[in-house]
Amino acid sequence: MNPSPDLIDLSFELAASRCADLTPLVYQRLFTTHPETQAMFRSQGSELVKGSMLALTIEAILDFAGERRGPFRLIACEVVSHDGYGTPRELFITFFAVIRDTLRELLGDEWSPAIAQAWDALLAEIDAFAAIAA
Ligand code: HEM
């Protein structure tokens, strides 16, 4: 289990106090850093899918970092279904780093070394977890 669930929670809380909806920022960053992903989303109704994908991913991250009661299982499940959408595992897991980078930019000075370390540990654990599922 991640040793610092509170720091992961805190990073989302601080971001929420600065920005009501992370969705546009996260997808802007995803499409800038990985332009090939833009065409993967359907042309109609993709706003709902993107919002839902992000909300479910954040729920899974918080559960994975914390008590692992259930929602974290989405990560293993989606790594397999995304393979079917043409999203290889290496690309799939970059979404977590894109979320981290979005929070880091939003938090500015409040992105502490402790928060950075908690995220590094979390991303390494998610990587290992997704590798087992793939
Ligand atoms: C860069 C990485 C990723 C790409 C390019 C990607 C791409 C996509 C695409 C194209 C869809 C829509 C499929 C459709 O139109 O039916 C989708 C849906 C979804 N994705 Fe991702 N995905 C990524 C990462 C993730 C991650 C890390 C998770 C969660 C662990 C996730 C969870 C979901 C879920 C739950 C849906 C269904 C949303 C809904 O309709 O309710 N995705 N993804």
Side-chain angles (χ1 to χ4, degrees):
M1 191 182 292
N2 191 286
S4 317
D6 294 349
L7 291 170
I8 301 295
D9 279 5
L10 177 67
S11 64
F12 281 107
E13 276 166 28
L14 290 171
S17 68
R18 281 164 182 68
C19 169
D21 182 10
L22 290 176
T23 314
L25 294 180
V26 166
Y27 285 95
Q28 233 166 48
R29 184 175 286 273
L30 176 66
F31 297 152
T32 305
T33 54
H34 300 86
E36 75 279 18
T37 57
Q38 191 148 14
M40 290 178 178
F41 290 89
R42 61 182 81 213
S43 50
Q44 298 215 328
S46 76
E47 292 317 307
L48 285 175
V49 174
K50 287 191 286 192
S52 164
M53 176 171 127
L54 178 62
L56 290 167
T57 306
I58 292 174
E59 202 182 317
I61 289 173
L62 292 172
D63 189 48
F64 187 88
E67 296 192 309
R68 298 205 184 166
R69 284 173 180 268
F72 80 98
R73 295 186 201 286
L74 177 87
I75 298 168
C77 176
E78 290 297 331
V79 76
V80 176
S81 41
H82 281 66
D83 203 37
Y85 305 150
T87 312
R89 187 180 71 86
E90 300 72 41
L91 179 60
F92 177 79
I93 56 164
T94 60
F95 193 58
F96 298 100
V98 168
I99 294 173
R100 186 266 317 266
D101 294 346
T102 305
L103 297 180
R104 184 173 53 201
E105 191 175 332
L106 264 175
L107 263 57
D109 287 350
E110 285 193 280
W111 183 262
S112 64
I115 291 179
Q117 214 172 24
W119 268 96
D120 284 350
L122 180 72
L123 293 185
E125 270 195 72
I126 289 177
D127 195 6
F129 182 66
I132 298 169

